[in-house]
Coordinates of all heavy atoms in Angstrom, one line a residue:
M221 N 291.3 13.5 264.9 CA 292.1 12.3 264.9 C 293.0 12.3 263.7 O 292.6 12.8 262.6 CB 291.2 11.1 264.9 CG 290.6 10.7 266.2 SD 289.7 9.2 266.3 CE 288.2 9.7 265.6
K222 N 294.1 11.6 263.8 CA 295.0 11.5 262.7 C 294.6 10.4 261.7 O 294.0 9.4 262.2 CB 296.4 11.3 263.2 CG 297.0 12.4 264.0 CD 298.5 12.2 264.3 CE 298.6 11.0 265.3 NZ 300.0 10.8 265.7
P223 N 294.9 10.5 260.5 CA 294.7 9.4 259.6 C 295.3 8.1 260.1 O 296.4 8.2 260.6 CB 295.3 9.8 258.2 CG 295.2 11.3 258.3 CD 295.4 11.7 259.8
G224 N 294.7 7.0 259.9 CA 295.2 5.7 260.4 C 294.9 5.4 261.8 O 295.3 4.4 262.4
S225 N 294.1 6.3 262.5 CA 293.7 6.1 263.9 C 292.8 4.8 264.0 O 292.2 4.4 263.0 CB 293.0 7.3 264.4 OG 293.8 8.4 264.5
T226 N 292.8 4.3 265.2 CA 292.0 3.1 265.4 C 290.6 3.5 266.0 O 290.6 4.2 267.0 CB 292.7 2.1 266.3 OG1 294.0 1.7 265.7 CG2 291.9 0.8 266.5
I227 N 289.6 2.9 265.4 CA 288.2 3.1 265.9 C 287.7 1.8 266.4 O 287.8 0.8 265.8 CB 287.3 3.6 264.8 CG1 287.9 4.8 264.0 CG2 285.9 3.9 265.3 CD1 288.0 6.1 264.9
L228 N 287.1 1.8 267.6 CA 286.5 0.6 268.2 C 285.0 0.7 267.8 O 284.3 1.7 268.2 CB 286.6 0.6 269.7 CG 285.9 -0.6 270.4 CD1 286.4 -1.9 270.0 CD2 286.0 -0.4 271.9
V229 N 284.5 -0.3 267.2 CA 283.0 -0.4 266.9 C 282.4 -1.4 267.8 O 282.7 -2.6 267.7 CB 282.8 -0.7 265.4 CG1 281.3 -0.8 265.1 CG2 283.4 0.4 264.5
I230 N 281.6 -0.9 268.7 CA 280.9 -1.8 269.7 C 279.5 -2.1 269.0 O 278.8 -1.1 268.7 CB 280.7 -1.1 271.0 CG1 282.1 -0.8 271.6 CG2 279.8 -1.9 272.0 CD1 282.1 0.0 272.9
G231 N 279.2 -3.3 268.9 CA 278.0 -3.7 268.2 C 278.3 -4.0 266.8 O 277.5 -3.8 265.9
A232 N 279.5 -4.4 266.5 CA 280.0 -4.5 265.2 C 279.3 -5.5 264.3 O 279.2 -5.2 263.1 CB 281.5 -4.9 265.2
T233 N 278.7 -6.5 264.8 CA 278.0 -7.5 263.9 C 276.6 -7.2 263.7 O 275.9 -7.9 263.0 CB 278.2 -8.9 264.5 OG1 277.6 -9.0 265.8 CG2 279.6 -9.4 264.6
G234 N 276.1 -6.2 264.4 CA 274.7 -5.8 264.2 C 274.5 -5.0 262.9 O 275.5 -4.6 262.2
A235 N 273.2 -4.7 262.6 CA 272.9 -4.0 261.3 C 273.6 -2.6 261.3 O 274.2 -2.3 260.3 CB 271.4 -3.9 261.2
M236 N 273.5 -1.9 262.4 CA 274.1 -0.6 262.4 C 275.6 -0.6 262.5 O 276.3 0.1 261.7 CB 273.6 0.2 263.6 CG 274.0 1.7 263.5 SD 273.4 2.7 264.9 CE 271.7 2.6 264.6
G237 N 276.2 -1.5 263.3 CA 277.6 -1.6 263.4 C 278.3 -2.0 262.1 O 279.4 -1.4 261.8
T238 N 277.7 -2.9 261.4 CA 278.3 -3.4 260.1 C 278.3 -2.2 259.1 O 279.3 -2.0 258.4 CB 277.5 -4.6 259.6 OG1 277.6 -5.7 260.5 CG2 278.0 -5.0 258.3
E239 N 277.2 -1.5 259.1 CA 277.2 -0.3 258.2 C 278.2 0.8 258.6 O 278.8 1.4 257.7 CB 275.8 0.2 258.1 CG 274.8 -0.7 257.4 CD 275.3 -1.1 256.0 OE1 275.7 -0.2 255.2 OE2 275.2 -2.3 255.7
V240 N 278.4 1.0 259.8 CA 279.4 1.9 260.3 C 280.8 1.5 259.8 O 281.6 2.3 259.3 CB 279.3 2.1 261.8 CG1 280.6 2.8 262.4 CG2 278.1 2.9 262.2
I241 N 281.1 0.2 260.0 CA 282.4 -0.3 259.6 C 282.5 -0.1 258.1 O 283.6 0.4 257.6 CB 282.5 -1.8 259.9 CG1 282.7 -1.9 261.5 CG2 283.7 -2.5 259.2 CD1 282.7 -3.3 262.0
K242 N 281.5 -0.4 257.3 CA 281.6 -0.2 255.8 C 281.9 1.2 255.5 O 282.7 1.5 254.6 CB 280.4 -0.8 255.1 CG 280.2 -2.3 255.2 CD 278.9 -2.7 254.5 CE 278.8 -4.2 254.5 NZ 277.5 -4.6 254.0
S243 N 281.2 2.1 256.2 CA 281.4 3.6 255.9 C 282.8 4.0 256.3 O 283.5 4.8 255.6 CB 280.4 4.4 256.7 OG 279.1 4.2 256.2
L244 N 283.3 3.5 257.4 CA 284.7 3.8 257.8 C 285.7 3.3 256.8 O 286.7 4.0 256.4 CB 285.0 3.2 259.2 CG 284.3 3.9 260.4 CD1 284.5 3.1 261.6 CD2 284.8 5.3 260.6
L245 N 285.5 2.2 256.2 CA 286.4 1.6 255.2 C 286.3 2.4 253.9 O 287.4 2.5 253.2 CB 286.0 0.1 254.9 CG 286.2 -0.9 256.0 CD1 285.6 -2.2 255.6 CD2 287.7 -1.0 256.4
K246 N 285.2 3.0 253.6 CA 285.1 3.8 252.4 C 285.8 5.2 252.5 O 286.1 5.8 251.5 CB 283.6 4.1 252.0 CG 282.9 2.9 251.5 CD 281.5 3.2 251.3 CE 280.7 2.0 250.9 NZ 279.2 2.3 250.8
D247 N 286.1 5.6 253.7 CA 286.8 6.9 253.9 C 288.3 6.8 253.7 O 289.1 6.6 254.6 CB 286.5 7.3 255.4 CG 287.1 8.7 255.7 OD1 287.7 9.3 254.8 OD2 287.0 9.1 256.8
T248 N 288.6 6.9 252.4 CA 290.0 6.7 252.0 C 290.9 7.9 252.5 O 292.1 7.7 252.5 CB 290.1 6.6 250.5 OG1 289.5 7.7 249.9 CG2 289.4 5.3 250.0
N249 N 290.4 9.0 252.9 CA 291.2 10.1 253.4 C 291.8 9.8 254.7 O 292.8 10.4 255.1 CB 290.4 11.4 253.5 CG 289.9 11.9 252.1 OD1 290.7 11.8 251.2 ND2 288.8 12.5 252.1
N250 N 291.2 8.9 255.5 CA 291.7 8.7 256.9 C 292.2 7.3 257.1 O 293.0 7.0 258.0 CB 290.5 8.9 257.9 CG 290.3 10.4 258.0 OD1 291.1 11.1 258.5 ND2 289.1 10.8 257.6
N251 N 291.9 6.3 256.2 CA 292.5 5.0 256.3 C 292.4 4.4 257.7 O 293.4 4.0 258.3 CB 293.9 5.0 255.8 CG 294.4 3.6 255.4 OD1 293.6 2.8 254.9 ND2 295.7 3.4 255.5
W252 N 291.2 4.4 258.3 CA 290.9 4.0 259.6 C 291.3 2.5 259.8 O 291.1 1.7 258.9 CB 289.5 4.1 260.0 CG 288.9 5.5 259.8 CD1 287.9 5.8 258.9 CD2 289.1 6.6 260.6 NE1 287.6 7.2 259.0 CE2 288.3 7.7 260.1 CE3 290.0 6.9 261.7 CZ2 288.4 9.0 260.6 CZ3 290.0 8.2 262.2 CH2 289.2 9.2 261.7
K253 N 291.8 2.2 261.0 CA 291.9 0.8 261.5 C 290.7 0.6 262.4 O 290.3 1.5 263.1 CB 293.2 0.6 262.2 CG 294.4 0.8 261.4 CD 295.7 0.8 262.2 CE 296.9 1.1 261.3 NZ 298.0 1.7 262.1
I254 N 290.2 -0.6 262.3 CA 288.9 -0.8 263.0 C 289.1 -2.1 263.9 O 289.5 -3.1 263.5 CB 287.8 -1.1 262.0 CG1 287.6 0.1 261.1 CG2 286.5 -1.4 262.7 CD1 286.8 -0.1 259.9
K255 N 288.7 -1.9 265.2 CA 288.5 -3.0 266.1 C 287.1 -3.2 266.2 O 286.3 -2.3 266.5 CB 289.1 -2.6 267.5 CG 290.6 -2.6 267.7 CD 290.9 -2.4 269.1 CE 292.3 -2.7 269.4 NZ 292.6 -2.6 270.9
A256 N 286.7 -4.4 265.8 CA 285.2 -4.8 265.8 C 285.0 -5.7 267.0 O 285.4 -6.8 267.1 CB 284.9 -5.6 264.5
L257 N 284.3 -5.1 268.0 CA 284.0 -5.8 269.3 C 282.8 -6.8 269.1 O 281.7 -6.4 268.5 CB 283.6 -4.8 270.4 CG 283.4 -5.5 271.7 CD1 284.8 -5.8 272.4 CD2 282.6 -4.6 272.6
T258 N 283.0 -8.0 269.5 CA 282.0 -9.0 269.4 C 282.1 -10.0 270.5 O 283.2 -10.3 271.0 CB 282.0 -9.8 268.0 OG1 281.1 -10.8 268.0 CG2 283.4 -10.4 267.8
R259 N 281.0 -10.5 271.0 CA 281.0 -11.5 272.0 C 281.3 -12.9 271.4 O 281.8 -13.8 272.1 CB 279.6 -11.6 272.7 CG 279.3 -10.4 273.6 CD 277.9 -10.4 274.1 NE 277.0 -10.1 273.0 CZ 275.7 -10.2 273.0 NH1 275.1 -10.7 274.1 NH2 275.0 -9.9 272.0
Y260 N 281.1 -13.0 270.1 CA 281.3 -14.3 269.5 C 282.2 -14.2 268.2 O 281.7 -14.2 267.1 CB 279.9 -14.9 269.1 CG 278.9 -14.9 270.2 CD1 277.9 -13.9 270.2 CD2 279.0 -15.7 271.3 CE1 276.9 -13.9 271.2 CE2 278.1 -15.7 272.3 CZ 277.1 -14.7 272.3 OH 276.2 -14.7 273.3
P261 N 283.5 -14.1 268.4 CA 284.4 -13.9 267.3 C 284.5 -15.0 266.3 O 284.9 -14.8 265.2 CB 285.8 -13.7 267.9 CG 285.6 -14.3 269.3 CD 284.2 -14.2 269.7
R262 N 284.0 -16.2 266.6 CA 284.1 -17.4 265.7 C 282.8 -17.6 264.9 O 282.8 -18.5 264.1 CB 284.5 -18.6 266.5 CG 285.9 -18.5 267.0 CD 286.4 -19.7 267.8 NE 286.4 -19.7 269.2 CZ 286.7 -18.7 270.1 NH1 287.0 -17.5 269.6 NH2 286.7 -18.8 271.4
N263 N 281.8 -16.8 265.2 CA 280.5 -17.0 264.4 C 280.6 -16.4 263.0 O 281.6 -15.7 262.7 CB 279.3 -16.6 265.1 CG 279.1 -15.1 265.1 OD1 279.7 -14.3 264.5 ND2 278.1 -14.6 266.0
Y264 N 279.7 -16.8 262.1 CA 279.7 -16.4 260.7 C 279.7 -14.9 260.6 O 280.5 -14.3 259.8 CB 278.5 -17.0 260.0 CG 278.4 -16.4 258.6 CD1 279.2 -16.9 257.6 CD2 277.5 -15.4 258.3 CE1 279.1 -16.4 256.3 CE2 277.4 -14.9 257.0 CZ 278.2 -15.4 256.0 OH 278.1 -14.9 254.8
R265 N 278.9 -14.1 261.3 CA 278.8 -12.7 261.1 C 280.1 -12.0 261.5 O 280.6 -11.1 260.8 CB 277.7 -12.1 261.9 CG 276.3 -12.5 261.4 CD 275.3 -11.8 262.2 NE 275.2 -10.4 261.9 CZ 274.2 -9.8 261.4 NH1 273.0 -10.5 261.2 NH2 274.2 -8.5 261.1
S266 N 280.8 -12.5 262.5 CA 282.1 -11.9 262.9 C 283.1 -12.2 261.9 O 283.9 -11.3 261.5 CB 282.5 -12.5 264.3 OG 281.6 -12.2 265.3
R267 N 283.2 -13.4 261.5 CA 284.2 -13.8 260.5 C 284.0 -13.1 259.2 O 285.0 -12.7 258.5 CB 284.3 -15.3 260.3 CG 284.8 -16.1 261.5 CD 285.1 -17.5 261.1 NE 284.2 -18.1 260.2 CZ 283.1 -18.9 260.5 NH1 282.8 -19.1 261.7 NH2 282.3 -19.3 259.5
S268 N 282.8 -12.9 258.8 CA 282.5 -12.2 257.5 C 283.0 -10.7 257.5 O 283.3 -10.2 256.5 CB 281.1 -12.3 257.1 OG 280.3 -11.6 258.0
L269 N 283.0 -10.1 258.7 CA 283.6 -8.8 258.8 C 285.0 -8.7 258.4 O 285.5 -7.8 257.7 CB 283.5 -8.2 260.2 CG 282.1 -7.8 260.7 CD1 282.2 -7.4 262.2 CD2 281.5 -6.7 259.9
C270 N 285.8 -9.7 258.8 CA 287.2 -9.7 258.5 C 287.5 -9.9 257.0 O 288.5 -9.5 256.5 CB 287.9 -10.9 259.2 SG 288.0 -10.5 261.0
E271 N 286.5 -10.4 256.3 CA 286.6 -10.6 254.8 C 286.5 -9.2 254.1 O 286.8 -9.1 252.9 CB 285.6 -11.6 254.3 CG 285.9 -13.0 254.8 CD 284.8 -14.0 254.5 OE1 283.8 -13.6 253.7 OE2 284.8 -15.1 255.0
L272 N 285.9 -8.2 254.8 CA 285.7 -6.9 254.1 C 287.1 -6.2 253.9 O 287.2 -5.6 252.8 CB 284.8 -6.0 255.0 CG 283.4 -6.5 255.2 CD1 282.7 -5.6 256.2 CD2 282.7 -6.5 253.9
D273 N 288.0 -6.3 254.8 CA 289.2 -5.6 254.7 C 290.2 -6.0 255.8 O 289.8 -6.4 256.9 CB 289.0 -4.1 254.9 CG 290.1 -3.2 254.5 OD1 291.1 -3.1 255.2 OD2 289.9 -2.6 253.4
S274 N 291.5 -6.0 255.4 CA 292.5 -6.4 256.4 C 292.7 -5.4 257.5 O 293.4 -5.7 258.5 CB 293.9 -6.6 255.7 OG 294.3 -5.3 255.1
R275 N 292.1 -4.2 257.5 CA 292.2 -3.3 258.6 C 291.3 -3.6 259.7 O 291.3 -2.9 260.7 CB 291.9 -1.9 258.1 CG 293.0 -1.4 257.1 CD 292.6 0.0 256.6 NE 291.5 -0.1 255.6 CZ 290.7 0.9 255.3 NH1 290.8 2.0 255.8 NH2 289.8 0.7 254.4
I276 N 290.5 -4.6 259.6 CA 289.5 -5.0 260.6 C 290.1 -6.0 261.5 O 290.6 -7.1 261.1 CB 288.2 -5.5 260.0 CG1 287.5 -4.4 259.2 CG2 287.3 -6.0 261.1 CD1 286.4 -4.9 258.4
E277 N 290.1 -5.8 262.8 CA 290.6 -6.7 263.8 C 289.4 -7.1 264.7 O 288.7 -6.2 265.3 CB 291.7 -6.1 264.7 CG 292.1 -6.9 265.9 CD 293.0 -6.2 266.8 OE1 293.4 -5.0 266.6 OE2 293.3 -6.7 267.9
L278 N 289.1 -8.4 264.8 CA 288.0 -8.8 265.7 C 288.5 -8.8 267.1 O 289.6 -9.2 267.4 CB 287.6 -10.2 265.4 CG 286.7 -10.4 264.1 CD1 286.4 -11.9 263.9 CD2 285.5 -9.5 264.1
V279 N 287.7 -8.3 268.0 CA 288.1 -8.2 269.4 C 287.0 -8.8 270.2 O 285.8 -8.4 270.1 CB 288.3 -6.7 269.9 CG1 288.6 -6.7 271.4 CG2 289.4 -6.1 269.1
E280 N 287.3 -9.8 271.0 CA 286.3 -10.5 271.8 C 286.0 -9.7 273.1 O 287.0 -9.3 273.8 CB 286.7 -11.9 272.2 CG 285.6 -12.7 272.9 CD 285.9 -14.1 273.1 OE1 287.0 -14.6 272.7 OE2 285.1 -14.9 273.6
G281 N 284.8 -9.4 273.3 CA 284.5 -8.6 274.5 C 283.0 -8.6 274.8 O 282.2 -8.9 273.9
D282 N 282.6 -8.1 275.9 CA 281.2 -8.0 276.4 C 281.1 -6.7 277.2 O 281.8 -6.5 278.1 CB 280.9 -9.2 277.2 CG 279.5 -9.4 277.6 OD1 278.8 -8.3 277.8 OD2 278.9 -10.5 277.6
L283 N 280.1 -5.9 276.8 CA 279.8 -4.7 277.5 C 279.5 -4.9 279.0 O 279.6 -4.0 279.8 CB 278.7 -3.9 276.9 CG 279.0 -3.2 275.6 CD1 277.7 -2.7 274.9 CD2 279.9 -2.1 275.8
N284 N 279.2 -6.1 279.4 CA 278.9 -6.4 280.8 C 280.1 -6.8 281.6 O 280.0 -7.0 282.8 CB 277.8 -7.5 280.9 CG 276.5 -7.0 280.3 OD1 276.0 -5.9 280.7 ND2 275.9 -7.7 279.4
E285 N 281.3 -6.9 280.9 CA 282.5 -7.3 281.5 C 283.5 -6.2 281.4 O 284.1 -6.0 280.4 CB 283.0 -8.6 280.9 CG 282.1 -9.8 281.1 CD 282.6 -11.0 280.4 OE1 283.7 -11.0 279.9 OE2 281.8 -11.9 280.3
K286 N 283.7 -5.4 282.5 CA 284.5 -4.2 282.5 C 286.0 -4.5 282.0 O 286.5 -3.7 281.2 CB 284.6 -3.6 283.9 CG 285.0 -2.2 283.9 CD 284.8 -1.7 285.3 CE 285.0 -0.2 285.4 NZ 284.7 0.4 286.7
D287 N 286.6 -5.6 282.4 CA 287.9 -5.9 282.0 C 288.1 -6.2 280.5 O 289.1 -5.8 279.9 CB 288.5 -7.2 282.8 CG 288.8 -6.8 284.3 OD1 288.9 -5.6 284.6 OD2 288.8 -7.8 285.1
S288 N 287.1 -6.8 279.9 CA 287.2 -7.0 278.5 C 287.1 -5.7 277.7 O 287.7 -5.5 276.7 CB 286.1 -8.0 278.0 OG 284.8 -7.4 278.0
M289 N 286.3 -4.7 278.3 CA 286.2 -3.4 277.7 C 287.5 -2.7 277.8 O 287.9 -2.0 276.9 CB 285.1 -2.6 278.3 CG 283.7 -3.3 278.0 SD 283.5 -3.6 276.2 CE 283.7 -2.0 275.5
K290 N 288.2 -2.8 278.9 CA 289.5 -2.1 279.1 C 290.5 -2.6 278.1 O 291.2 -1.9 277.5 CB 290.0 -2.4 280.5 CG 289.4 -1.6 281.6 CD 290.0 -1.9 282.9 CE 289.3 -1.1 284.0 NZ 289.9 -1.4 285.4
D291 N 290.5 -4.0 277.9 CA 291.4 -4.5 276.9 C 291.0 -4.1 275.5 O 291.9 -3.7 274.7 CB 291.3 -6.1 276.9 CG 291.9 -6.7 278.2 OD1 292.6 -6.0 278.9 OD2 291.6 -7.8 278.5
A292 N 289.7 -4.0 275.1 CA 289.3 -3.6 273.8 C 289.7 -2.2 273.5 O 289.9 -1.8 272.4 CB 287.8 -3.8 273.7
L293 N 289.7 -1.3 274.5 CA 290.0 0.1 274.3 C 291.4 0.4 274.2 O 291.8 1.6 273.9 CB 289.4 0.9 275.5 CG 287.8 1.0 275.4 CD1 287.3 1.4 276.8 CD2 287.4 1.9 274.3
Q294 N 292.3 -0.5 274.4 CA 293.8 -0.3 274.3 C 294.1 0.2 272.9 O 293.8 -0.5 271.9 CB 294.6 -1.5 274.7 CG 294.5 -1.9 276.1 CD 295.0 -0.8 277.0 OE1 296.1 -0.3 276.8 NE2 294.2 -0.5 278.1
G295 N 294.8 1.3 272.7 CA 295.2 1.8 271.4 C 294.2 2.4 270.6 O 294.4 2.6 269.4
V296 N 293.0 2.7 271.1 CA 291.9 3.2 270.4 C 291.8 4.7 270.5 O 292.0 5.3 271.6 CB 290.6 2.6 270.9 CG1 289.3 3.3 270.4 CG2 290.5 1.1 270.5
Q297 N 291.5 5.4 269.4 CA 291.4 6.9 269.5 C 289.9 7.3 269.4 O 289.6 8.5 269.6 CB 292.2 7.5 268.3 CG 293.7 7.5 268.5 CD 294.3 6.1 268.2 OE1 293.9 5.5 267.2 NE2 295.2 5.7 269.0
G298 N 289.0 6.4 269.0 CA 287.6 6.8 268.9 C 286.7 5.6 269.0 O 287.2 4.4 268.8
V299 N 285.5 5.8 269.4 CA 284.6 4.7 269.7 C 283.2 5.0 269.0 O 282.7 6.1 269.1 CB 284.3 4.4 271.2 CG1 283.3 3.4 271.4 CG2 285.7 4.1 271.9
F300 N 282.6 4.0 268.3 CA 281.2 4.0 268.0 C 280.6 2.9 268.8 O 281.0 1.8 268.8 CB 281.0 3.7 266.5 CG 279.6 3.6 266.1 CD1 278.8 4.7 265.9 CD2 279.0 2.3 266.2 CE1 277.5 4.5 265.6 CE2 277.6 2.2 265.9 CZ 276.9 3.3 265.6
C301 N 279.6 3.3 269.6 CA 278.9 2.4 270.5 C 277.4 2.3 270.2 O 276.7 3.3 270.2 CB 279.1 2.8 271.9 SG 278.4 1.7 273.1
N302 N 277.0 1.1 269.9 CA 275.6 0.8 269.7 C 275.2 -0.4 270.6 O 275.5 -1.5 270.4 CB 275.3 0.4 268.2 CG 273.8 0.3 268.0 OD1 273.0 1.0 268.5 ND2 273.4 -0.7 267.2
T303 N 274.5 0.0 271.7 CA 274.1 -1.0 272.7 C 272.9 -1.7 272.2 O 272.2 -1.3 271.3 CB 273.9 -0.4 274.1 OG1 272.9 0.6 274.0 CG2 275.1 0.2 274.6
D304 N 272.5 -2.8 272.9 CA 271.4 -3.7 272.5 C 270.3 -3.6 273.6 O 270.3 -4.5 274.4 CB 271.8 -5.1 272.2 CG 270.7 -6.0 271.7 OD1 269.6 -5.5 271.5 OD2 271.0 -7.2 271.5
Y305 N 269.5 -2.6 273.5 CA 268.4 -2.5 274.5 C 267.5 -3.7 274.6 O 267.1 -4.2 275.6 CB 267.6 -1.3 274.3 CG 266.3 -1.2 275.0 CD1 266.3 -0.7 276.3 CD2 265.1 -1.6 274.5 CE1 265.2 -0.6 277.1 CE2 263.9 -1.5 275.3 CZ 264.0 -1.1 276.5 OH 262.8 -1.0 277.3
W306 N 267.2 -4.3 273.4 CA 266.2 -5.4 273.3 C 266.7 -6.6 274.0 O 265.8 -7.4 274.6 CB 265.8 -5.6 271.9 CG 265.3 -4.4 271.3 CD1 265.9 -3.6 270.3 CD2 264.1 -3.7 271.6 NE1 265.2 -2.5 270.0 CE2 264.0 -2.5 270.8 CE3 263.1 -4.0 272.4 CZ2 263.0 -1.7 270.8 CZ3 262.0 -3.1 272.5 CH2 261.9 -1.9 271.7
S307 N 267.9 -6.9 274.1 CA 268.4 -8.2 274.7 C 268.9 -7.9 276.1 O 269.0 -8.8 277.0 CB 269.4 -8.9 273.9 OG 270.6 -8.2 273.8
S308 N 269.2 -6.6 276.4 CA 269.8 -6.3 277.7 C 268.8 -5.7 278.7 O 268.9 -5.9 279.9 CB 271.0 -5.3 277.5 OG 271.9 -5.8 276.7
G309 N 267.9 -4.8 278.2 CA 267.0 -4.1 279.0 C 267.6 -2.7 279.4 O 268.8 -2.5 279.3
K310 N 266.7 -1.9 279.9 CA 267.1 -0.5 280.2 C 268.2 -0.4 281.2 O 269.2 0.4 281.0 CB 265.8 0.3 280.7 CG 266.1 1.7 281.0 CD 264.8 2.4 281.4 CE 265.1 3.8 281.8 NZ 263.9 4.5 282.3
E311 N 268.1 -1.1 282.3 CA 269.1 -1.0 283.4 C 270.5 -1.4 282.9 O 271.5 -0.7 283.2 CB 268.7 -1.8 284.6 CG 267.3 -1.4 285.2 CD 267.3 0.1 285.6 OE1 268.3 0.6 286.2 OE2 266.2 0.7 285.4
A312 N 270.5 -2.5 282.2 CA 271.8 -3.0 281.7 C 272.4 -2.0 280.7 O 273.6 -1.8 280.7 CB 271.7 -4.4 281.2
E313 N 271.5 -1.5 279.8 CA 272.0 -0.6 278.8 C 272.6 0.7 279.4 O 273.7 1.2 279.0 CB 270.9 -0.2 277.9 CG 271.4 0.6 276.7 CD 270.3 0.9 275.7 OE1 269.1 1.2 276.1 OE2 270.6 1.0 274.5
I314 N 272.0 1.2 280.5 CA 272.6 2.3 281.2 C 273.9 2.0 281.8 O 274.9 2.7 281.6 CB 271.6 2.8 282.3 CG1 270.4 3.4 281.6 CG2 272.3 3.8 283.2 CD1 269.2 3.7 282.6
R315 N 274.0 0.8 282.4 CA 275.3 0.4 283.0 C 276.4 0.2 281.9 O 277.5 0.6 282.1 CB 275.1 -1.0 283.7 CG 275.2 -0.9 285.2 CD 275.2 -2.3 285.9 NE 274.7 -3.5 285.1 CZ 273.5 -3.8 285.0 NH1 272.5 -3.2 285.6 NH2 273.1 -4.9 284.3
Q316 N 276.0 -0.3 280.8 CA 277.0 -0.5 279.7 C 277.5 0.8 279.2 O 278.7 0.9 278.8 CB 276.3 -1.3 278.6 CG 276.0 -2.8 278.9 CD 275.1 -3.4 277.9 OE1 274.6 -2.8 277.0 NE2 274.9 -4.7 278.1
G317 N 276.6 1.8 279.1 CA 277.0 3.1 278.6 C 278.0 3.8 279.6 O 278.8 4.6 279.1
I318 N 277.9 3.5 280.8 CA 278.8 4.1 281.8 C 280.2 3.5 281.8 O 281.2 4.2 282.0 CB 278.1 4.0 283.2 CG1 276.9 4.9 283.3 CG2 279.1 4.4 284.3 CD1 276.1 4.7 284.5
I319 N 280.2 2.2 281.5 CA 281.5 1.5 281.5 C 282.4 2.2 280.5 O 283.5 2.5 280.7 CB 281.4 0.0 281.2 CG1 280.8 -0.7 282.3 CG2 282.8 -0.6 280.8 CD1 280.6 -2.2 282.1

């Protein structure tokens, strides 16, 4: 990927997604742009992500809604995906990974 590419982080407000975003921001050689996928863009955890850096764009979406994922993937060159087995269950997590 070229420097300045856009990475979609699915599960952005979770413990792992937040740390992935922080790591991407520290990578000054690539100057990544980050789309942070969240179901709840107006909650505190989502808004606090935007305070980290201006390269972060909140994107409202849900892994269970195929159209929202198509929209979120527009202009993206890479994806980090962390699904939530504990709230979704095995069958839903498998479906989410396929979308």
Side-chain angles (χ1 to χ4, degrees):
M221 280 189 284
K222 296 189 289 185
S225 293
T226 301
I227 308 294
L228 174 65
V229 177
I230 298 171
T233 59
M236 188 180 297
T238 299
E239 291 304 313
V240 166
I241 288 172
K242 288 177 181 178
S243 292
L244 290 170
L245 293 173
K246 289 178 187 175
D247 182 0
T248 57
N249 292 325
N250 287 297
N251 201 29
W252 305 111
K253 295 176 187 151
I254 301 164
K255 282 188 169 184
L257 186 78
T258 177
R259 288 174 289 171
Y260 311 107
R262 292 177 262 320
N263 76 11
Y264 171 78
R265 289 184 74 122
S266 298
R267 289 191 327 261
S268 66
L269 285 176
C270 289
E271 294 172 7
L272 296 175
D273 195 283
S274 63
R275 293 178 287 158
I276 298 172
E277 172 191 356
L278 288 180
V279 178
E280 186 172 2
D282 187 322
L283 283 170
N284 295 308
E285 297 175 12
K286 198 172 189 175
D287 288 339
S288 73
M289 294 309 302
K290 285 181 183 179
D291 292 342
L293 287 164
Q294 293 298 313
V296 168
Q297 288 78 41
V299 176
F300 173 84
C301 180
N302 187 37
T303 59
D304 182 5
Y305 168 82
W306 301 109
S307 67
S308 302
K310 181 180 177 181
E311 302 302 319
E313 186 177 36
I314 292 169
R315 251 189 340 273
Q316 292 169 353
I318 293 171
I319 289 178

